[in-house]
């Protein structure tokens, strides 16, 4: 089988650079085009010197004619821009979006949370929210694949199997997540110039962070019930990684053994989800530069509560790696191709 031609739009951001590095390791892929706006005409090595020795095309501006000899378009663009590209897709094209353009199932929800009108509302029903361990081969029916946000990835992977099994109470769930500052994008230093990023911890988006919308949407989808939760993200003085701490109330008669056993069973065949022994202390250092998610179920001082820890690399499992994992499923490649 000849290699698939790939176009990466939004190639100079942290996620775009990470995506290129992983695609270069993928034996079935050729990076045909790199697209940007302010970076047009430059080499990608301007943004990451480790790419200097790689044979990669110069950055050009996107135009729809590029789609004629492209199989897969990865978009790591500001919100709204993948919606523009989606209008030009040919039957042979697959769009894998790493932003939020197609994560929400209603255009009204997108307007509410992202404060912009959806430009391709007719395509929303033709897309899939693709968390690979949950959606699996269902993505084969779609040619627009929406990758989850980094925080929701770290949160939904431990929660969904427990919610499906009805092991948790529906209220008072508290989700506390801490991310490396790369999660805020390349403009993070301008945006948070007064925050002393390298030496302080900052809470932000309290109560109304955009990722609330997709966490809520997916919990409802899998539980068929309304759950109430509080989610607070924090910027941590590290470049990459997410650690989510989730405080849950157990259904009557359930214990942390039930939670641990369900997660172990659910992810038994997963190549990237690692369920640790109960009460294991985990850190982002355990997952940096991997596509893994590690999960630990811990006891609380209260018998009817539990604390769940989940760690991922936000740029890989929470971004570029998850996108490639979805592509591997779509094309029947080895699921670890490009991700070893």
């Amino acid at each position: 089988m000849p290699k698939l031609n790939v176009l990466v739009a939004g190639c100079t951001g942290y996620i775009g650079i990470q995506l290129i590095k992983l695609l270069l390791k993928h034996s079935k892929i050729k990076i045909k085009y790199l697209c940007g706006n302010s970076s047009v005409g430059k080499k990608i090595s301007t943004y990451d010197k480790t790419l200097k020795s790689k044979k990669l095309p110069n950055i050009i501006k996107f135009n729809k004619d590029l789609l004629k000899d492209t199989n897969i378009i990865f978009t790591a663009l500001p919100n709204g821009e993948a919606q523009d590209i989606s209008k030009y897709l040919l039957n042979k094209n697959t769009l894998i979006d790493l932003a939020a353009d197609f994560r929400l199932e209603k255009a009204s929800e997108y307007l509410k949370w992202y404060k912009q009108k959806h430009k391709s509302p007719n395509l929303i029903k033709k897309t899939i929210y693709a968390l690979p361990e949950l959606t699996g081969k269902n993505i084969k029916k779609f040619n627009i694949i929406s990758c989850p946000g980094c925080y929701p990835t770290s949160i939904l992977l431990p929660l969904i199997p427990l919610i499906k099994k009805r092991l948790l109470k529906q209220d008072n769930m508290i989700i506390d997540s801490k991310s490396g500052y790369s999660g805020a994008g390349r403009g993070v230093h301008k945006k948070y110039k007064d925050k002393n990023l390298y030496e302080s911890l900052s809470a932000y988006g309290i109560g109304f962070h955009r990722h609330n919308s997709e966490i809520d949407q997916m919990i409802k989808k899998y539980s068929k019930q309304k759950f109430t939760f509080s989610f607070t993200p924090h910027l941590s003085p590290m470049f990459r990684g997410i650690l989510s701490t989730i405080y849950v109330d157990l259904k009557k008669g359930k214990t942390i053994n039930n939670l641990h056993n369900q997660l172990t069973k659910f992810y038994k065949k997963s190549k990237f989800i690692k369920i640790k022994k109960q009460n294991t202390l985990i850190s982002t250092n355990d997952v940096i530069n991997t596509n893994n998610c590690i999960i630990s179920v811990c006891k609380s001082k209260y018998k009817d509560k539990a604390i769940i820890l989940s760690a991922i690399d936000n740029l890989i499992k929470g971004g570029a790696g998850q996108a490639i994992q979805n592509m591997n499923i779509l094309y029947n490649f080895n699921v670890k191709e490009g991700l070893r």
Side-chain angles (χ1 to χ4, degrees):
M1 178 180 173
K3 291 188 176 186
L4 297 175
N5 287 337
V6 162
L7 181 155
V8 179
C11 59
T12 63
Y14 291 139
I15 290 273
I17 294 287
Q18 183 64 73
L19 183 62
I20 290 165
K21 288 179 176 179
L22 295 176
L23 289 170
L24 283 168
K25 298 178 186 175
H26 202 296
S27 65
K28 313 288 186 183
I29 293 302
K30 177 186 178 183
I31 299 175
K32 181 85 172 172
Y33 301 114
L34 297 177
C35 296
N37 287 315
S38 59
S39 55
V40 167
K42 294 180 181 177
K43 293 182 182 296
I44 194 65
S45 56
T46 307
Y47 299 89
D48 191 300
K49 289 182 171 55
T50 64
L51 295 172
K52 201 166 187 178
S53 62
K54 309 297 181 185
K55 283 188 176 178
L56 287 163
N58 284 357
I59 301 167
I60 59 173
K61 195 162 185 66
F62 174 83
N63 73 79
K64 63 182 181 180
D65 290 338
L66 302 179
L67 300 179
K68 291 174 185 172
D69 56 354
T70 299
N71 302 102
I72 305 159
I73 303 96
F74 286 100
T75 44
L77 294 161
N79 292 320
E81 293 187 24
Q83 294 163 18
D84 291 326
I85 291 175
S86 69
K87 296 171 185 175
Y88 304 117
L89 292 178
L90 308 172
N91 287 336
K92 66 181 284 188
N93 301 145
T94 296
L95 174 66
I96 301 179
D97 183 38
L98 290 91
D101 283 27
F102 295 99
R103 287 177 190 159
L104 301 182
E105 293 171 356
K106 293 179 182 173
S108 58
E109 284 292 295
Y110 184 80
L111 176 62
K112 175 185 170 183
W113 288 94
Y114 289 89
K115 310 304 179 197
Q116 50 182 276
K117 195 173 179 182
H118 204 287
K119 301 171 194 171
S120 302
N122 58 312
L123 293 178
I124 292 176
K125 287 190 176 172
K126 297 179 180 178
T127 69
I128 185 169
Y129 182 92
L131 191 55
E133 284 78 14
L134 300 176
T135 42
K137 294 189 176 178
N138 286 338
I139 63 171
K140 291 177 178 287
K141 304 168 193 170
F142 300 86
N143 73 334
I144 300 178
I145 293 162
S146 178
C147 297
C150 51
Y151 284 123
T153 297
S154 72
I155 294 159
L156 295 171
L157 285 171
L159 281 185
I160 294 299
L162 306 179
I163 284 168
K164 284 177 78 174
K165 202 72 174 172
R166 298 182 184 269
L167 298 175
L168 308 178
K169 285 188 179 174
Q170 290 164 242
D171 49 12
N172 294 332
M173 194 185 300
I174 297 170
I175 304 165
D176 179 299
S177 297
K178 295 175 175 66
S179 171
Y181 59 81
S182 60
R186 199 175 276 282
V188 65
H189 298 90
K190 286 182 185 174
K191 191 175 178 183
Y192 296 100
K193 59 176 185 261
D194 301 325
K195 294 287 188 192
N196 191 10
L197 280 178
Y198 305 113
E199 294 180 27
S200 70
L201 186 67
S202 307
Y204 69 106
I206 295 176
F208 298 96
H209 189 280
R210 291 165 167 180
H211 286 173
N212 273 284
S213 54
E214 53 183 289
I215 297 166
D216 192 42
Q217 173 181 277
M218 300 316 292
I219 285 177
K220 279 179 187 167
K221 186 183 179 88
Y222 284 98
S223 70
K224 311 294 187 219
Q225 296 173 300
K226 187 171 176 59
F227 271 70
T228 58
F229 64 89
S230 298
F231 163 59
T232 305
H234 303 75
L235 274 187
S236 178
M238 58 186 185
F239 178 63
R240 62 200 297 161
I242 287 178
L243 181 67
S244 286
T245 306
I246 308 168
Y247 303 86
V248 296
D249 288 353
L250 303 175
K251 282 263 183 85
K252 194 172 181 180
K254 302 301 178 186
T255 67
I256 71 164
N257 285 342
N258 298 120
L259 306 192
H260 184 267
N261 291 343
Q262 170 61 8
L263 288 168
T264 303
K265 183 179 173 185
F266 192 91
Y267 290 120
K268 185 171 63 176
K269 293 182 180 176
S270 172
K271 303 292 184 188
F272 299 113
I273 313 295
K274 317 290 181 189
I275 310 301
K276 296 293 188 178
K277 285 182 183 175
Q278 290 177 29
N279 302 308
T280 299
L281 301 180
I282 63 175
S283 83
T284 54
N285 197 52
D286 301 325
V287 292
I288 294 304
N289 293 314
T290 77
N291 194 52
N292 295 336
C293 171
I294 59 172
I295 299 168
S296 174
V297 180
C298 303
K299 65 182 177 183
S300 161
K301 61 183 177 181
Y302 304 106
K303 280 188 177 178
D304 59 347
K305 297 178 185 290
I307 302 165
I308 302 166
L309 304 175
S310 170
I312 63 168
D313 184 322
N314 57 299
L315 296 180
I316 301 184
K317 186 59 175 165
Q322 183 152 254
I324 289 173
Q325 189 181 345
N326 276 321
M327 177 187 70
N328 287 342
I329 294 168
L330 188 65
Y331 288 94
N332 293 321
F333 299 146
N334 185 312
V335 74
K336 285 194 166 186
E337 184 65 42
L339 298 171
R340 290 185 175 86

